[in-house]
């Protein structure tokens, strides 16, 4: 257990400890218990925000539910990330570049390159269709959306 108290400053939004900061404590720093300090840090690590409350004491911000626009933005980003992951699982960027050359030159790799290109095009088409579909979904549906669900994507070959 510590010998000096932990303090919180509303003006800086930071925690201070006399053993570390000495006399360089903000004038508005208030004493908080080690248990409260741990509780606040644990909540912050879980994604909550620490803000100054009444009389400059730290508290956890009441988080507002994301707007439908924010949910749609998150879902769209998740779709794009999942499509990219699936495309790169089919063929890395270098392989895709080589496939483009094989297709353009109609080389001996033509058939394999076309097969990979068709699989990539199917993922892109599924991604575009999925983005169009979620545009009209409710906030509840967007919240529950899982971009990685196999049902959204073409079968893997």
């Amino acid at each position: 257990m510590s010998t000096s108290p932990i303090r919180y400053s509303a003006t800086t939004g930071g925690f201070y400890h006399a053993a570390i900061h000495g006399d360089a404590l903000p004038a508005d720093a208030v004493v908080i218990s080690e248990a409260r300090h741990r509780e606040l840090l644990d909540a912050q690590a879980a994604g909550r925000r620490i803000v100054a409350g009444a009389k400059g004491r730290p508290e956890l911000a009441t988080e507002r539910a994301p707007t439908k626009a924010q949910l749609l933005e998150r879902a769209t980003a998740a779709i794009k990330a999942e499509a990219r992951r699936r495309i790169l699982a089919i063929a890395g960027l270098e392989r895709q570049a080589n496939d483009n050359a094989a297709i353009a030159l109609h080389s001996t790799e033509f058939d394999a390159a076309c097969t990979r290109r068709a699989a990539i095009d199917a993922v892109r088409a599924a991604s575009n269709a999925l983005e169009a579909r979620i545009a009209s979904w409710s906030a509840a549906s967007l919240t529950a959306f899982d971009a990685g669900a196999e049902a959204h994507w073409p079968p893997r070959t």
Side-chain angles (χ1 to χ4, degrees):
M1 193 145 215
S2 172
T3 57
S4 61
I6 297 170
R7 299 173 190 270
Y8 173 81
S9 168
T11 57
T12 67
F15 294 100
Y16 296 87
H17 197 287
I20 297 169
H21 300 98
D23 294 332
L25 300 171
D28 69 334
V30 295
V31 175
I32 64 167
S33 71
E34 286 188 35
R36 179 66 174 153
H37 181 243
R38 175 59 32 219
E39 176 187 351
L40 291 164
L41 292 182
D42 288 346
Q44 183 179 49
R48 301 279 307 273
R49 286 184 312 117
I50 300 170
V51 297
K55 298 181 183 176
R57 302 203 56 77
E59 61 184 44
L60 295 169
T62 303
E63 298 297 324
R64 289 180 275 173
T67 65
K68 183 178 176 191
Q70 289 169 323
L71 292 169
L72 181 59
E73 186 178 321
R74 289 177 193 167
T76 300
I79 291 168
K80 289 181 184 309
E82 182 63 17
R84 177 177 169 72
R85 186 189 71 74
R86 287 171 181 268
I87 288 169
L88 291 174
I90 294 166
L93 295 177
E94 186 175 332
R95 175 77 263 166
Q96 290 180 52
N98 289 338
D99 284 351
N100 289 337
I103 291 168
L105 298 173
H106 211 285
S107 75
T108 57
E109 289 288 314
F110 180 80
D111 290 339
C114 286
T115 299
R116 284 187 293 271
R117 173 64 48 204
I120 288 170
D121 290 345
V123 170
R124 287 188 177 126
S127 175
N128 292 339
L130 188 53
E131 285 183 47
R133 205 165 60 239
I134 67 166
S136 63
W137 286 8
S138 69
S141 295
L142 289 168
T143 299
F145 175 67
D146 176 11
E150 290 298 324
H152 299 310
W153 303 98
R156 297 176 196 221
T157 54

